[in-house]
């Protein structure tokens, strides 16, 4: 089965703790993305990566960090500097061409207690 | 500035009736346009896209969308709604002249409710 997996599905964190969300794809896609989704709002781009060992900040990168050491993996760390981290986080990937379609994982819901 | 508007937060349709979910955009060049659907607590699923060519695009689950350049719209349609179509629908656009990467600009989403 080809696709994008995200884990865990639900995640709880205490204030002041860093937490890492996993995103893996076996679609052989070059580009990967992290989005944040809040109720009543569209998706907001946190970080994206077009090739291994390279990534760029999106619109709301503050308080987040990423790495892209392997083509199939793009983990997102939510740091304690993120002031309002409770949200639904979506990972996506695409081939890496201008006309291509982004495909999404099932998402991780992060709740800060 | 580039933007996407979905003017209706919610659309209610009776099962069997036609449905329309509206999307308008503002980009400087010729846009690439996308529709996605999201079921509760799930990721987004791709429905269809317009790149070039025929203004009427057909997609998954019987959905179609019409690109109207003069009205800068890309409305999603289906001739006969099913209860299972109830979900959150997102329109997205990419202006290939503005970005050197593959970022999409997203609408805020429209909740579609199909009543039996």
């Amino acid at each position: 089965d080809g696709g994008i997996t995200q884990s865990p599905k639900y995640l709880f964190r205490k204030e002041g703790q860093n937490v890492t969300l996993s995103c893996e794809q076996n679609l052989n896609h070059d580009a990967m993305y992290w989005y944040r989704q809040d109720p009543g709002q569209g998706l907001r781009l946190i970080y994206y990566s077009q090739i291994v060992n390279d990534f760029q900040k999106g619109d709301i990168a503050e308080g987040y960090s990423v790495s892209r050491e392997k083509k199939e993996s793009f983990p997102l760390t939510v740091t304690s500097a993120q002031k309002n981290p409770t949200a639904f986080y979506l990972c996506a990937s695409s081939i890496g061409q201008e006309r291509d379609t982004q495909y999404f994982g099932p998402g991780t819901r992060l709740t800060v207690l | 500035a580039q933007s996407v508007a979905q003017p209706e937060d919610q659309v209610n349709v009776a099962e069997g009736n036609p449905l329309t979910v509206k999307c308008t955009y503002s980009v400087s060049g010729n846009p690439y346009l996308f529709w996605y659907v999201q079921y509760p607590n799930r990721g987004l699923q791709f429905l269809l896209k317009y790149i070039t060519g025929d203004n009427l695009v057909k997609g998954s689950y019987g959905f179609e969308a019409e690109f109207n350049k003069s009205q800068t719209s890309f409305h999603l349609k289906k001739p006969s709604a099913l209860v299972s179509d109830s979900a959150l629908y997102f329109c997205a656009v990419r202006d290939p002249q503005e970005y050197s990467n593959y970022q999409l600009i997203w609408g805020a989403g429209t909740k579609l409710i199909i009543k039996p």
Side-chain angles (χ1 to χ4, degrees):
Chain A
D1 257 353
I4 305 173
T5 58
Q6 291 185 243
S7 61
K9 186 173 178 65
Y10 298 96
L11 189 57
F12 298 89
R13 185 195 97 174
K14 294 181 179 179
E15 281 192 33
Q17 290 181 336
N18 293 354
V19 63
T20 297
L21 282 59
S22 169
C23 178
E24 303 277 333
Q25 55 98 359
N26 61 4
L27 300 168
N28 200 32
H29 285 172
D30 285 315
M32 297 187 74
Y33 314 79
W34 273 107
Y35 291 95
R36 172 180 171 137
Q37 184 179 20
D38 295 285
Q41 297 190 36
L43 278 65
R44 292 186 289 169
L45 183 65
I46 305 172
Y47 270 98
Y48 64 96
S49 168
Q50 295 179 204
I51 56 172
V52 175
N53 292 322
D54 187 49
F55 48 84
Q56 284 79 41
K57 293 181 180 180
D59 300 321
I60 55 165
E62 185 176 352
Y64 300 97
S65 66
V66 293
S67 63
R68 186 87 188 276
E69 297 177 0
K70 298 185 296 182
K71 186 176 184 178
E72 59 270 22
S73 179
F74 191 41
L76 173 73
T77 297
V78 184
T79 75
S80 56
Q82 169 51 233
K83 296 180 181 179
N84 185 21
T86 294
F88 191 50
Y89 291 88
L90 289 160
C91 178
S93 71
S94 68
I95 294 173
Q97 298 171 6
E98 64 171 14
R99 297 184 172 190
D100 66 356
T101 301
Q102 293 184 17
Y103 294 94
F104 286 79
T108 293
R109 186 166 299 281
L110 172 64
T111 303
V112 175
L113 304 173
Chain B
Q2 289 76 23
S3 64
V4 176
Q6 294 182 239
E8 301 155 316
D9 291 338
Q10 183 170 308
V11 172
N12 298 299
V13 178
E15 187 176 27
N17 283 1
L19 68 88
T20 299
V21 182
K22 296 179 180 177
C23 173
T24 59
Y25 63 90
S26 174
V27 298
S28 56
N30 293 318
Y32 299 153
L33 296 154
F34 301 79
W35 274 104
Y36 286 81
V37 60
Q38 185 181 33
Y39 298 98
N41 296 311
R42 305 285 296 275
L44 277 67
Q45 295 179 30
F46 168 72
L47 279 178
L48 50 81
K49 68 180 177 182
Y50 172 82
I51 301 299
T52 187
D54 192 347
N55 290 344
L56 185 63
V57 179
K58 293 187 183 297
S60 305
Y61 312 120
F63 284 94
E64 58 188 26
E66 185 169 12
F67 171 60
N68 188 317
K69 188 172 183 178
S70 63
Q71 297 185 5
T72 62
S73 67
F74 189 56
H75 300 333
L76 182 70
K77 300 180 180 183
K78 188 174 182 181
S80 179
L82 300 172
V83 173
S84 57
D85 292 330
S86 298
L88 187 59
Y89 289 81
F90 288 98
C91 179
V93 62
R94 181 170 181 272
D95 182 353
Q97 294 185 1
E98 284 292 322
Y99 293 101
S100 61
N101 54 63
Y102 313 120
Q103 291 191 51
L104 292 172
I105 304 163
W106 293 87
T110 298
K111 186 175 184 180
L112 177 64
I113 297 176
I114 309 300
K115 298 183 177 180

